[in-house]
Amino acid sequence: MIKKVKSITKALTSFAMSKSTSIWQFKTLHQLRFKFAALKHGIELNTSGQSTLFNLRRNIHRLEKGLSYPVAKEVFAEDYIVETIQFLKSAISKDVIDDDTLNWAISVLKLYFKTVKLSDKLKLIKNDFEQISSSFDYVNSVPYHSSTRPPITVTYEDLLSLSVRRRSVRYFHPEPVDIELVRKAYEIAKYAPSACNRQAFQFLFYNEKTIVDKLAAIPGGVSGYSLPSIMVVLGRYDGYFDVRDINAPVIDSSLSIMSFLYAAETLGMGTVCINWPNLPDREAQLRKVLNIDKSEIVVMMIGLGYPLDDGKIPFSAKRPNKSALLFNERKKLSE
């Protein structure tokens, strides 16, 4: 009898837990529906061949990695070189390629065909590429030796000082920031690393008071202060082709955002990072205000302005190194 009761109790507990899990999963899917919909739409665009720019950038990066080996292989990339040329041709015909990407692609492809052993198949592909590229001038942009990088002119102490100085500023002069300064800050942000150099993100800047106020009111974290300018950062899933890449646009854009924040500080601007929670109603509100593609997600917003000298900044104590940075720890012992 006791065994029977235990068995029934176990079954009921298992059922309750599975039901609870199902409800949790439903609520989670509902709350993340914009993100999952963007992922689905982006993958569909990519696999149908409509996302030519990001696919081209990915493949050119793959070629560069092969060409960066100490000794390049005589044969490599035969499984994707045909599609790479097709992406290049499509991007040019659709006028979706920028000059820098075009210059980079032509440079790398020229070096590729000069380096590999040309089979009959590769000779045909090379001819196709040369017909496409013959009408374009280009500046050679190919792998280079580490020793030729610009010298380091910023010391560790300089960078540490900048890191300590840059804090979230919430009290600004009323005038919006100079657009040219925003351009200069992004010039630094664009050098942040991204997966296969896709740079599948978008920075949307606004400095008109009406739309700035409307955008700042949506996340819910901007209260007690006003913003003269605002940046909305989007991640783009049309640069990826698999569910495994769900985090990639968030990681890539976040890396560039940090560089942007440091650059803004050096240019006399203050910034405040505005959290963007996965709340469907907020996402829907923002999509009514801005033209956001189905394959894009909102990563975060950034408030920008010229700081008030007497504006207060929270101290925001940081965790000590020893609590966040561990060396050779948390290893599981092998059984």
mmCIF file of all heavy atoms in Angstrom, residues 229-275:
data_model
loop_
_atom_site.group_PDB
_atom_site.id
_atom_site.type_symbol
_atom_site.label_atom_id
_atom_site.label_comp_id
_atom_site.label_asym_id
_atom_site.label_seq_id
_atom_site.Cartn_x
_atom_site.Cartn_y
_atom_site.Cartn_z
ATOM 1 N N SER A 229 19.531 63.578 -26.893
ATOM 2 C CA SER A 229 19.717 62.735 -28.078
ATOM 3 C C SER A 229 19.633 61.275 -27.643
ATOM 4 O O SER A 229 19.876 60.949 -26.477
ATOM 5 C CB SER A 229 21.077 62.991 -28.740
ATOM 6 O OG SER A 229 21.268 64.352 -29.035
ATOM 7 N N ILE A 230 19.326 60.410 -28.594
ATOM 8 C CA ILE A 230 19.199 58.980 -28.254
ATOM 9 C C ILE A 230 19.630 58.113 -29.429
ATOM 10 O O ILE A 230 19.486 58.504 -30.598
ATOM 11 C CB ILE A 230 17.743 58.653 -27.837
ATOM 12 C CG1 ILE A 230 17.660 57.334 -27.072
ATOM 13 C CG2 ILE A 230 16.808 58.635 -29.050
ATOM 14 C CD1 ILE A 230 16.325 57.117 -26.370
ATOM 15 N N MET A 231 20.197 56.973 -29.110
ATOM 16 C CA MET A 231 20.604 55.987 -30.109
ATOM 17 C C MET A 231 19.851 54.685 -29.835
ATOM 18 O O MET A 231 19.786 54.230 -28.691
ATOM 19 C CB MET A 231 22.109 55.729 -30.021
ATOM 20 C CG MET A 231 22.653 54.789 -31.078
ATOM 21 S SD MET A 231 22.927 55.619 -32.659
ATOM 22 C CE MET A 231 24.505 56.437 -32.325
ATOM 23 N N VAL A 232 19.283 54.115 -30.875
ATOM 24 C CA VAL A 232 18.641 52.805 -30.780
ATOM 25 C C VAL A 232 19.531 51.815 -31.545
ATOM 26 O O VAL A 232 19.828 52.042 -32.719
ATOM 27 C CB VAL A 232 17.222 52.816 -31.377
ATOM 28 C CG1 VAL A 232 16.582 51.424 -31.264
ATOM 29 C CG2 VAL A 232 16.355 53.862 -30.682
ATOM 30 N N VAL A 233 19.943 50.750 -30.890
ATOM 31 C CA VAL A 233 20.823 49.774 -31.527
ATOM 32 C C VAL A 233 20.036 48.505 -31.819
ATOM 33 O O VAL A 233 19.393 47.937 -30.941
ATOM 34 C CB VAL A 233 22.038 49.446 -30.638
ATOM 35 C CG1 VAL A 233 22.967 48.468 -31.359
ATOM 36 C CG2 VAL A 233 22.789 50.714 -30.264
ATOM 37 N N LEU A 234 20.080 48.083 -33.077
ATOM 38 C CA LEU A 234 19.362 46.899 -33.531
ATOM 39 C C LEU A 234 20.341 45.798 -33.912
ATOM 40 O O LEU A 234 21.408 46.066 -34.463
ATOM 41 C CB LEU A 234 18.503 47.229 -34.763
ATOM 42 C CG LEU A 234 17.520 48.390 -34.654
ATOM 43 C CD1 LEU A 234 16.837 48.609 -36.006
ATOM 44 C CD2 LEU A 234 16.491 48.144 -33.566
ATOM 45 N N GLY A 235 19.964 44.563 -33.621
ATOM 46 C CA GLY A 235 20.694 43.407 -34.122
ATOM 47 C C GLY A 235 19.947 42.843 -35.321
ATOM 48 O O GLY A 235 18.717 42.870 -35.354
ATOM 49 N N ARG A 236 20.680 42.344 -36.307
ATOM 50 C CA ARG A 236 20.061 41.862 -37.547
ATOM 51 C C ARG A 236 20.300 40.366 -37.726
ATOM 52 O O ARG A 236 21.449 39.918 -37.812
ATOM 53 C CB ARG A 236 20.622 42.641 -38.741
ATOM 54 C CG ARG A 236 20.374 44.126 -38.652
ATOM 55 C CD ARG A 236 20.906 44.865 -39.862
ATOM 56 N NE ARG A 236 20.363 44.344 -41.100
ATOM 57 C CZ ARG A 236 20.468 44.963 -42.274
ATOM 58 N NH1 ARG A 236 21.107 46.119 -42.355
ATOM 59 N NH2 ARG A 236 19.955 44.441 -43.360
ATOM 60 N N TYR A 237 19.215 39.621 -37.799
ATOM 61 C CA TYR A 237 19.332 38.172 -37.988
ATOM 62 C C TYR A 237 19.445 37.783 -39.460
ATOM 63 O O TYR A 237 19.669 36.608 -39.760
ATOM 64 C CB TYR A 237 18.137 37.452 -37.357
ATOM 65 C CG TYR A 237 18.262 37.290 -35.862
ATOM 66 C CD1 TYR A 237 17.364 37.888 -35.002
ATOM 67 C CD2 TYR A 237 19.298 36.529 -35.320
ATOM 68 C CE1 TYR A 237 17.481 37.747 -33.626
ATOM 69 C CE2 TYR A 237 19.427 36.381 -33.949
ATOM 70 C CZ TYR A 237 18.510 36.990 -33.105
ATOM 71 O OH TYR A 237 18.633 36.848 -31.747
ATOM 72 N N ASP A 238 19.298 38.745 -40.369
ATOM 73 C CA ASP A 238 19.480 38.372 -41.780
ATOM 74 C C ASP A 238 20.954 38.156 -42.098
ATOM 75 O O ASP A 238 21.305 37.826 -43.229
ATOM 76 C CB ASP A 238 18.879 39.427 -42.720
ATOM 77 C CG ASP A 238 19.423 40.822 -42.483
ATOM 78 O OD1 ASP A 238 19.928 41.080 -41.381
ATOM 79 O OD2 ASP A 238 19.317 41.660 -43.394
ATOM 80 N N GLY A 239 21.818 38.298 -41.104
ATOM 81 C CA GLY A 239 23.225 37.986 -41.300
ATOM 82 C C GLY A 239 23.575 36.564 -40.888
ATOM 83 O O GLY A 239 24.726 36.156 -41.010
ATOM 84 N N TYR A 240 22.594 35.788 -40.432
ATOM 85 C CA TYR A 240 22.871 34.458 -39.889
ATOM 86 C C TYR A 240 21.937 33.416 -40.496
ATOM 87 O O TYR A 240 20.898 33.757 -41.052
ATOM 88 C CB TYR A 240 22.752 34.492 -38.362
ATOM 89 C CG TYR A 240 23.736 35.467 -37.763
ATOM 90 C CD1 TYR A 240 23.390 36.807 -37.583
ATOM 91 C CD2 TYR A 240 25.022 35.063 -37.445
ATOM 92 C CE1 TYR A 240 24.316 37.713 -37.091
ATOM 93 C CE2 TYR A 240 25.947 35.964 -36.944
ATOM 94 C CZ TYR A 240 25.588 37.288 -36.776
ATOM 95 O OH TYR A 240 26.497 38.187 -36.295
ATOM 96 N N PHE A 241 22.318 32.175 -40.386
ATOM 97 C CA PHE A 241 21.584 31.135 -41.104
ATOM 98 C C PHE A 241 21.161 29.957 -40.242
ATOM 99 O O PHE A 241 20.697 28.945 -40.753
ATOM 100 C CB PHE A 241 22.445 30.602 -42.267
ATOM 101 C CG PHE A 241 23.774 30.050 -41.846
ATOM 102 C CD1 PHE A 241 23.910 28.714 -41.512
ATOM 103 C CD2 PHE A 241 24.887 30.871 -41.763
ATOM 104 C CE1 PHE A 241 25.133 28.199 -41.121
ATOM 105 C CE2 PHE A 241 26.120 30.363 -41.367
ATOM 106 C CZ PHE A 241 26.241 29.021 -41.045
ATOM 107 N N ASP A 242 21.310 30.079 -38.903
ATOM 108 C CA ASP A 242 20.970 28.941 -38.058
ATOM 109 C C ASP A 242 20.528 29.423 -36.684
ATOM 110 O O ASP A 242 20.980 30.475 -36.216
ATOM 111 C CB ASP A 242 22.184 28.003 -37.926
ATOM 112 C CG ASP A 242 21.789 26.629 -37.414
ATOM 113 O OD1 ASP A 242 21.707 26.466 -36.183
ATOM 114 O OD2 ASP A 242 21.556 25.719 -38.236
ATOM 115 N N VAL A 243 19.671 28.626 -36.028
ATOM 116 C CA VAL A 243 19.188 28.957 -34.688
ATOM 117 C C VAL A 243 20.335 29.074 -33.694
ATOM 118 O O VAL A 243 20.256 29.830 -32.726
ATOM 119 C CB VAL A 243 18.187 27.875 -34.216
ATOM 120 C CG1 VAL A 243 17.781 28.087 -32.776
ATOM 121 C CG2 VAL A 243 16.952 27.882 -35.116
ATOM 122 N N ARG A 244 21.414 28.365 -33.939
ATOM 123 C CA ARG A 244 22.565 28.404 -33.025
ATOM 124 C C ARG A 244 23.136 29.819 -32.882
ATOM 125 O O ARG A 244 23.834 30.120 -31.917
ATOM 126 C CB ARG A 244 23.665 27.476 -33.529
ATOM 127 C CG ARG A 244 24.347 27.984 -34.799
ATOM 128 C CD ARG A 244 25.340 27.025 -35.373
ATOM 129 N NE ARG A 244 26.031 27.617 -36.515
ATOM 130 C CZ ARG A 244 26.813 26.940 -37.341
ATOM 131 N NH1 ARG A 244 26.984 25.648 -37.158
ATOM 132 N NH2 ARG A 244 27.413 27.541 -38.353
ATOM 133 N N ASP A 245 22.847 30.677 -33.855
ATOM 134 C CA ASP A 245 23.397 32.032 -33.851
ATOM 135 C C ASP A 245 22.485 33.047 -33.167
ATOM 136 O O ASP A 245 22.642 34.252 -33.367
ATOM 137 C CB ASP A 245 23.663 32.486 -35.290
ATOM 138 C CG ASP A 245 24.710 31.626 -35.986
ATOM 139 O OD1 ASP A 245 25.748 31.361 -35.369
ATOM 140 O OD2 ASP A 245 24.477 31.214 -37.135
ATOM 141 N N ILE A 246 21.563 32.581 -32.340
ATOM 142 C CA ILE A 246 20.580 33.479 -31.730
ATOM 143 C C ILE A 246 21.239 34.587 -30.900
ATOM 144 O O ILE A 246 20.721 35.706 -30.807
ATOM 145 C CB ILE A 246 19.570 32.687 -30.873
ATOM 146 C CG1 ILE A 246 18.420 33.603 -30.412
ATOM 147 C CG2 ILE A 246 20.250 32.016 -29.689
ATOM 148 C CD1 ILE A 246 17.251 32.857 -29.813
ATOM 149 N N ASN A 247 22.409 34.311 -30.320
ATOM 150 C CA ASN A 247 23.081 35.324 -29.495
ATOM 151 C C ASN A 247 24.016 36.235 -30.285
ATOM 152 O O ASN A 247 24.433 37.277 -29.782
ATOM 153 C CB ASN A 247 23.888 34.649 -28.378
ATOM 154 C CG ASN A 247 23.010 33.932 -27.376
ATOM 155 O OD1 ASN A 247 21.903 34.362 -27.092
ATOM 156 N ND2 ASN A 247 23.493 32.824 -26.847
ATOM 157 N N ALA A 248 24.355 35.838 -31.510
ATOM 158 C CA ALA A 248 25.411 36.532 -32.242
ATOM 159 C C ALA A 248 25.155 38.026 -32.470
ATOM 160 O O ALA A 248 26.040 38.844 -32.210
ATOM 161 C CB ALA A 248 25.669 35.830 -33.579
ATOM 162 N N PRO A 249 23.970 38.449 -32.952
ATOM 163 C CA PRO A 249 23.772 39.886 -33.161
ATOM 164 C C PRO A 249 23.840 40.700 -31.872
ATOM 165 O O PRO A 249 24.259 41.857 -31.885
ATOM 166 C CB PRO A 249 22.368 39.967 -33.780
ATOM 167 C CG PRO A 249 22.086 38.613 -34.314
ATOM 168 C CD PRO A 249 22.794 37.676 -33.394
ATOM 169 N N VAL A 250 23.424 40.085 -30.769
ATOM 170 C CA VAL A 250 23.472 40.782 -29.479
ATOM 171 C C VAL A 250 24.922 40.956 -29.042
ATOM 172 O O VAL A 250 25.335 42.037 -28.606
ATOM 173 C CB VAL A 250 22.680 40.005 -28.409
ATOM 174 C CG1 VAL A 250 22.774 40.714 -27.060
ATOM 175 C CG2 VAL A 250 21.229 39.852 -28.825
ATOM 176 N N ILE A 251 25.715 39.900 -29.178
ATOM 177 C CA ILE A 251 27.132 39.967 -28.806
ATOM 178 C C ILE A 251 27.871 40.967 -29.686
ATOM 179 O O ILE A 251 28.601 41.839 -29.195
ATOM 180 C CB ILE A 251 27.783 38.568 -28.914
ATOM 181 C CG1 ILE A 251 27.176 37.610 -27.894
ATOM 182 C CG2 ILE A 251 29.296 38.657 -28.723
ATOM 183 C CD1 ILE A 251 27.580 36.160 -28.095
ATOM 184 N N ASP A 252 27.673 40.848 -31.003
ATOM 185 C CA ASP A 252 28.391 41.716 -31.943
ATOM 186 C C ASP A 252 28.066 43.190 -31.723
ATOM 187 O O ASP A 252 28.962 44.042 -31.681
ATOM 188 C CB ASP A 252 28.052 41.323 -33.386
ATOM 189 C CG ASP A 252 28.612 39.964 -33.762
ATOM 190 O OD1 ASP A 252 29.401 39.415 -32.970
ATOM 191 O OD2 ASP A 252 28.265 39.460 -34.841
ATOM 192 N N SER A 253 26.788 43.499 -31.598
ATOM 193 C CA SER A 253 26.401 44.894 -31.410
ATOM 194 C C SER A 253 26.882 45.412 -30.060
ATOM 195 O O SER A 253 27.307 46.569 -29.941
ATOM 196 C CB SER A 253 24.890 45.060 -31.549
ATOM 197 O OG SER A 253 24.195 44.235 -30.649
ATOM 198 N N SER A 254 26.857 44.562 -29.035
ATOM 199 C CA SER A 254 27.288 44.990 -27.703
ATOM 200 C C SER A 254 28.782 45.317 -27.678
ATOM 201 O O SER A 254 29.208 46.267 -27.006
ATOM 202 C CB SER A 254 26.981 43.903 -26.667
ATOM 203 O OG SER A 254 25.588 43.691 -26.566
ATOM 204 N N LEU A 255 29.578 44.550 -28.398
ATOM 205 C CA LEU A 255 31.004 44.851 -28.482
ATOM 206 C C LEU A 255 31.236 46.217 -29.119
ATOM 207 O O LEU A 255 32.059 47.009 -28.647
ATOM 208 C CB LEU A 255 31.719 43.761 -29.300
ATOM 209 C CG LEU A 255 31.875 42.399 -28.617
ATOM 210 C CD1 LEU A 255 32.317 41.343 -29.622
ATOM 211 C CD2 LEU A 255 32.887 42.478 -27.473
ATOM 212 N N SER A 256 30.495 46.511 -30.177
ATOM 213 C CA SER A 256 30.660 47.806 -30.836
ATOM 214 C C SER A 256 30.118 48.943 -29.972
ATOM 215 O O SER A 256 30.648 50.056 -29.977
ATOM 216 C CB SER A 256 29.970 47.799 -32.209
ATOM 217 O OG SER A 256 28.579 47.645 -32.074
ATOM 218 N N ILE A 257 29.076 48.656 -29.199
ATOM 219 C CA ILE A 257 28.497 49.676 -28.305
ATOM 220 C C ILE A 257 29.520 50.134 -27.272
ATOM 221 O O ILE A 257 29.666 51.336 -27.015
ATOM 222 C CB ILE A 257 27.234 49.129 -27.608
ATOM 223 C CG1 ILE A 257 26.075 49.042 -28.605
ATOM 224 C CG2 ILE A 257 26.834 50.013 -26.427
ATOM 225 C CD1 ILE A 257 24.904 48.216 -28.109
ATOM 226 N N MET A 258 30.258 49.198 -26.682
ATOM 227 C CA MET A 258 31.235 49.588 -25.670
ATOM 228 C C MET A 258 32.302 50.488 -26.261
ATOM 229 O O MET A 258 32.718 51.483 -25.643
ATOM 230 C CB MET A 258 31.870 48.330 -25.054
ATOM 231 C CG MET A 258 32.613 48.591 -23.758
ATOM 232 S SD MET A 258 31.524 49.119 -22.411
ATOM 233 C CE MET A 258 32.076 50.785 -22.103
ATOM 234 N N SER A 259 32.754 50.170 -27.468
ATOM 235 C CA SER A 259 33.727 51.031 -28.135
ATOM 236 C C SER A 259 33.126 52.406 -28.406
ATOM 237 O O SER A 259 33.798 53.435 -28.273
ATOM 238 C CB SER A 259 34.185 50.399 -29.455
ATOM 239 O OG SER A 259 34.912 49.215 -29.225
ATOM 240 N N PHE A 260 31.852 52.422 -28.798
ATOM 241 C CA PHE A 260 31.170 53.693 -29.058
ATOM 242 C C PHE A 260 31.113 54.542 -27.791
ATOM 243 O O PHE A 260 31.338 55.759 -27.826
ATOM 244 C CB PHE A 260 29.755 53.424 -29.587
ATOM 245 C CG PHE A 260 28.972 54.669 -29.879
ATOM 246 C CD1 PHE A 260 29.077 55.291 -31.114
ATOM 247 C CD2 PHE A 260 28.134 55.234 -28.920
ATOM 248 C CE1 PHE A 260 28.364 56.459 -31.390
ATOM 249 C CE2 PHE A 260 27.426 56.390 -29.179
ATOM 250 C CZ PHE A 260 27.540 57.005 -30.427
ATOM 251 N N LEU A 261 30.815 53.931 -26.654
ATOM 252 C CA LEU A 261 30.706 54.663 -25.394
ATOM 253 C C LEU A 261 32.042 55.298 -25.006
ATOM 254 O O LEU A 261 32.098 56.460 -24.585
ATOM 255 C CB LEU A 261 30.236 53.736 -24.275
ATOM 256 C CG LEU A 261 28.855 53.094 -24.431
ATOM 257 C CD1 LEU A 261 28.551 52.201 -23.237
ATOM 258 C CD2 LEU A 261 27.770 54.132 -24.613
ATOM 259 N N TYR A 262 33.121 54.539 -25.165
ATOM 260 C CA TYR A 262 34.445 55.091 -24.859
ATOM 261 C C TYR A 262 34.785 56.236 -25.808
ATOM 262 O O TYR A 262 35.314 57.270 -25.383
ATOM 263 C CB TYR A 262 35.507 53.998 -24.956
ATOM 264 C CG TYR A 262 35.575 53.083 -23.765
ATOM 265 C CD1 TYR A 262 35.792 51.718 -23.922
ATOM 266 C CD2 TYR A 262 35.452 53.580 -22.468
ATOM 267 C CE1 TYR A 262 35.860 50.872 -22.825
ATOM 268 C CE2 TYR A 262 35.515 52.746 -21.364
ATOM 269 C CZ TYR A 262 35.728 51.389 -21.551
ATOM 270 O OH TYR A 262 35.799 50.549 -20.460
ATOM 271 N N ALA A 263 34.485 56.044 -27.092
ATOM 272 C CA ALA A 263 34.775 57.086 -28.071
ATOM 273 C C ALA A 263 33.987 58.349 -27.777
ATOM 274 O O ALA A 263 34.517 59.470 -27.847
ATOM 275 C CB ALA A 263 34.459 56.584 -29.475
ATOM 276 N N ALA A 264 32.719 58.196 -27.421
ATOM 277 C CA ALA A 264 31.876 59.346 -27.100
ATOM 278 C C ALA A 264 32.461 60.135 -25.937
ATOM 279 O O ALA A 264 32.458 61.375 -25.940
ATOM 280 C CB ALA A 264 30.460 58.880 -26.776
ATOM 281 N N GLU A 265 32.990 59.427 -24.953
ATOM 282 C CA GLU A 265 33.582 60.094 -23.782
ATOM 283 C C GLU A 265 34.775 60.954 -24.193
ATOM 284 O O GLU A 265 34.941 62.070 -23.703
ATOM 285 C CB GLU A 265 34.014 59.038 -22.760
ATOM 286 C CG GLU A 265 34.339 59.578 -21.396
ATOM 287 C CD GLU A 265 33.116 60.073 -20.642
ATOM 288 O OE1 GLU A 265 32.026 59.499 -20.819
ATOM 289 O OE2 GLU A 265 33.273 61.052 -19.874
ATOM 290 N N THR A 266 35.600 60.447 -25.100
ATOM 291 C CA THR A 266 36.776 61.215 -25.524
ATOM 292 C C THR A 266 36.391 62.446 -26.322
ATOM 293 O O THR A 266 37.194 63.369 -26.466
ATOM 294 C CB THR A 266 37.722 60.356 -26.378
ATOM 295 O OG1 THR A 266 37.103 60.053 -27.642
ATOM 296 C CG2 THR A 266 38.088 59.059 -25.669
ATOM 297 N N LEU A 267 35.172 62.475 -26.849
ATOM 298 C CA LEU A 267 34.704 63.588 -27.676
ATOM 299 C C LEU A 267 33.850 64.585 -26.894
ATOM 300 O O LEU A 267 33.207 65.447 -27.477
ATOM 301 C CB LEU A 267 33.911 63.039 -28.870
ATOM 302 C CG LEU A 267 34.721 62.197 -29.864
ATOM 303 C CD1 LEU A 267 33.797 61.449 -30.823
ATOM 304 C CD2 LEU A 267 35.695 63.065 -30.643
ATOM 305 N N GLY A 268 33.828 64.435 -25.580
ATOM 306 C CA GLY A 268 33.110 65.386 -24.737
ATOM 307 C C GLY A 268 31.644 65.068 -24.521
ATOM 308 O O GLY A 268 30.909 65.863 -23.928
ATOM 309 N N MET A 269 31.210 63.901 -24.971
ATOM 310 C CA MET A 269 29.818 63.497 -24.770
ATOM 311 C C MET A 269 29.698 62.603 -23.548
ATOM 312 O O MET A 269 30.630 61.867 -23.204
ATOM 313 C CB MET A 269 29.287 62.766 -26.001
ATOM 314 C CG MET A 269 29.153 63.632 -27.239
ATOM 315 S SD MET A 269 28.450 62.731 -28.659
ATOM 316 C CE MET A 269 29.875 61.764 -29.192
ATOM 317 N N GLY A 270 28.545 62.654 -22.911
ATOM 318 C CA GLY A 270 28.216 61.717 -21.849
ATOM 319 C C GLY A 270 27.188 60.735 -22.380
ATOM 320 O O GLY A 270 26.431 61.050 -23.302
ATOM 321 N N THR A 271 27.152 59.534 -21.822
ATOM 322 C CA THR A 271 26.219 58.515 -22.300
ATOM 323 C C THR A 271 25.561 57.812 -21.130
ATOM 324 O O THR A 271 26.116 57.744 -20.027
ATOM 325 C CB THR A 271 26.946 57.454 -23.157
ATOM 326 O OG1 THR A 271 28.011 56.871 -22.388
ATOM 327 C CG2 THR A 271 27.516 58.066 -24.425
ATOM 328 N N VAL A 272 24.383 57.288 -21.377
ATOM 329 C CA VAL A 272 23.710 56.447 -20.396
ATOM 330 C C VAL A 272 23.117 55.254 -21.137
ATOM 331 O O VAL A 272 22.436 55.408 -22.153
ATOM 332 C CB VAL A 272 22.610 57.230 -19.628
ATOM 333 C CG1 VAL A 272 21.583 57.830 -20.563
ATOM 334 C CG2 VAL A 272 21.931 56.324 -18.596
ATOM 335 N N CYS A 273 23.424 54.060 -20.654
ATOM 336 C CA CYS A 273 22.904 52.842 -21.268
ATOM 337 C C CYS A 273 21.493 52.585 -20.740
ATOM 338 O O CYS A 273 21.280 52.572 -19.525
ATOM 339 C CB CYS A 273 23.796 51.651 -20.940
ATOM 340 S SG CYS A 273 25.466 51.805 -21.602
ATOM 341 N N ILE A 274 20.568 52.396 -21.642
ATOM 342 C CA ILE A 274 19.170 52.197 -21.269
ATOM 343 C C ILE A 274 18.813 50.727 -21.502
ATOM 344 O O ILE A 274 18.857 50.249 -22.639
ATOM 345 C CB ILE A 274 18.240 53.109 -22.090
ATOM 346 C CG1 ILE A 274 18.677 54.577 -21.922
ATOM 347 C CG2 ILE A 274 16.788 52.926 -21.678
ATOM 348 C CD1 ILE A 274 18.008 55.521 -22.895
ATOM 349 N N ASN A 275 18.491 50.048 -20.437
ATOM 350 C CA ASN A 275 18.169 48.622 -20.538
ATOM 351 C C ASN A 275 16.956 48.394 -21.433
ATOM 352 O O ASN A 275 16.017 49.186 -21.458
ATOM 353 C CB ASN A 275 17.900 48.053 -19.144
ATOM 354 C CG ASN A 275 17.690 46.554 -19.160
ATOM 355 O OD1 ASN A 275 18.317 45.848 -19.935
ATOM 356 N ND2 ASN A 275 16.808 46.073 -18.313
#
